[in-house]
């Protein structure tokens, strides 16, 4: 997930739609050349994005949401100038992307921390998961490591050296673990529930499995120091971190109506945070240093 890739057809189609939309009104705040501010998101149909765009329209800020179904797409699109902002990832994911691609995309504001949960359609509790069971986890490096830590905290696996934010499936100590792990694409963790004992599923895809976040058999704790790398953020190119209109968009996202809709979409699990951009950059820098040395 953290390699620079050619943008797939799905993004090309989205870009074509953007091109067809034309520029924004001259009296609205917008991106370059009067075009809408293009924001890459995952799940543009969610009610909180409707609430958000209603607020931006009231303020005369012309925005265009570009929806993605694949986490690998929004960062290259932002870096290459096909987006102005994106809002879909946590700091750990952003750090991995920057290190792998020698990029310098930057966080400009925080949104929330979303606990990562373990779900099952076959078992009602952790205790029901059998010895030798199979658990699907996201295969991208950042969510994969977090998923492994969730499974370790749940008592299902043991990781070499106690585990870290750079742990890999190869670090699972098989002799001390109750289950095996199977990495799959993040968007496939929900559908994998049909063939495995349990899956660690990102909140974006929980509904795809007909589940609610509260159905999780186990999830990590958002208020722990170890959760700081998983603060979700607004991201811009490094030369746009002081853009006042972008900062206003961050503020609007924390409006009561947007947070209420976002909380509902997360099943009440979202823990909202407003860490300033300099603090987010400091956390990001530390993660990138660790990743580069790994």
């Amino acid at each position: 997930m953290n390699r620079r890739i050619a943008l797939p057809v799905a993004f090309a189609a989205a870009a074509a739609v953007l091109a067809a939309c034309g520029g924004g009104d001259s009296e609205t705040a917008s991106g370059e050349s009067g075009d809408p501010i293009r924001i890459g998101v995952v799940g543009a149909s969610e009610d909180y994005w409707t609430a958000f765009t209603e607020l931006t329209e009231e303020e005369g800020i012309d925005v265009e949401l570009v929806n993605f179904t694949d986490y690998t797409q929004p960062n290259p699109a932002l870096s290459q100038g096909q987006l102005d902002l994106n809002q879909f990832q946590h700091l750990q994911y952003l750090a991995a992307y920057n290190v792998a691609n020698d990029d310098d995309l930057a966080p400009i504001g925080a949104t929330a921390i979303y606990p990562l949960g373990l779900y099952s359609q076959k078992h009602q509790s952790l205790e029901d998961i059998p010895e030798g069971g199979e658990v699907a986890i996201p295969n991208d490096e950042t969510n994969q490591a977090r998923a492994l830590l969730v499974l370790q905290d749940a008592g299902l696996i043991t990781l070499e050296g106690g585990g870290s934010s750079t742990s890999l499936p190869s670090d699972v100590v098989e002799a001390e673990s109750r289950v095996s792990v199977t990495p799959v694409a993040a968007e496939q963790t929900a559908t994998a529930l049909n063939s495995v004992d349990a899956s660690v599923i990102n909140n974006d895809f929980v509904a795809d499995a007909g589940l609610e976040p509260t159905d999780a058999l186990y999830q990590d704790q958002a208020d722990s120091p170890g959760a700081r790398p998983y603060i979700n953020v607004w991201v811009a190119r490094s030369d746009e971190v002081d853009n006042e209109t972008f900062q206003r968009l961050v503020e609007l996202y924390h409006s009561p109506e947007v947070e209420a809709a976002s909380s509902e979409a997360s099943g009440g699990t979202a823990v909202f945070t407003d860490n300033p951009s300099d603090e987010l950059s400091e956390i990001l820098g530390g993660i990138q240093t660790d990743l580069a040395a790994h």
Side-chain angles (χ1 to χ4, degrees), residues 49-276:
W49 284 120
T50 300
F52 174 78
T53 53
E54 287 175 353
L55 289 177
T56 63
E57 184 175 356
E58 290 175 7
E59 293 222 355
I61 303 175
D62 191 8
V63 303
E64 183 79 27
L65 299 183
V66 182
N67 190 59
F68 296 88
T69 59
D70 184 339
Y71 288 155
T72 63
Q73 299 176 23
N75 280 335
L78 176 60
S79 184
Q80 295 166 14
Q82 294 159 319
L83 299 172
D84 299 298
L85 294 168
N86 69 41
Q87 204 266 73
F88 77 100
Q89 65 192 313
H90 48 54
L91 289 169
Q92 182 78 28
Y93 186 99
L94 176 60
Y97 171 82
N98 278 346
V99 170
N101 294 278
D102 192 26
D103 211 337
D104 61 351
L105 297 181
I108 65 167
T111 60
I113 296 175
Y114 299 91
L116 185 63
L118 174 70
Y119 299 84
S120 176
Q121 290 181 336
K122 297 180 179 180
H123 309 294
Q124 300 300 311
S125 69
L126 287 176
E127 292 72 23
D128 291 339
I129 298 175
E131 185 79 27
E134 181 182 9
V135 177
I137 62 172
N139 67 359
D140 58 275
E141 292 179 7
T142 51
N143 288 305
Q144 179 172 263
R146 187 182 184 189
L148 291 169
L149 291 171
V150 167
L151 294 180
Q152 178 170 254
D153 288 346
L156 295 176
I157 64 171
T158 297
L159 294 170
E160 191 72 40
S164 71
S165 62
T166 58
S167 290
L168 299 169
S170 58
D171 295 321
V172 174
V173 181
E174 294 183 9
E176 301 177 16
S177 299
R178 198 165 102 210
V179 301
S180 63
V181 298
T182 300
V184 300
E187 62 272 18
Q188 294 299 315
T189 52
T191 56
L193 281 173
N194 296 322
S195 57
V196 298
D197 290 282
S199 284
V200 177
I201 306 175
N202 294 65
N203 272 20
D204 289 329
F205 304 114
V206 168
D208 295 345
L211 297 168
E212 299 288 341
T214 51
D215 293 326
L217 302 185
Y218 186 83
Q219 61 185 19
D220 55 4
Q221 303 302 306
D223 59 354
S224 66
R228 282 161 55 92
Y230 305 109
I231 298 171
N232 282 257
V233 288
W234 286 87
V235 177
R237 290 182 294 278
S238 59
D239 60 351
E240 291 277 19
V241 293
D242 296 322
N243 185 302
E244 293 183 0
T245 302
F246 293 177
Q247 291 296 333
R248 181 55 182 157
L249 293 178
V250 173
E251 294 172 358
L252 289 176
Y253 190 85
H254 284 288
S255 298
E257 52 266 61
V258 178
E259 286 196 351
S262 182
S263 179
E264 182 175 355
S266 74
T269 64
V271 179
F272 297 100
T273 180
D274 59 356
N275 309 65

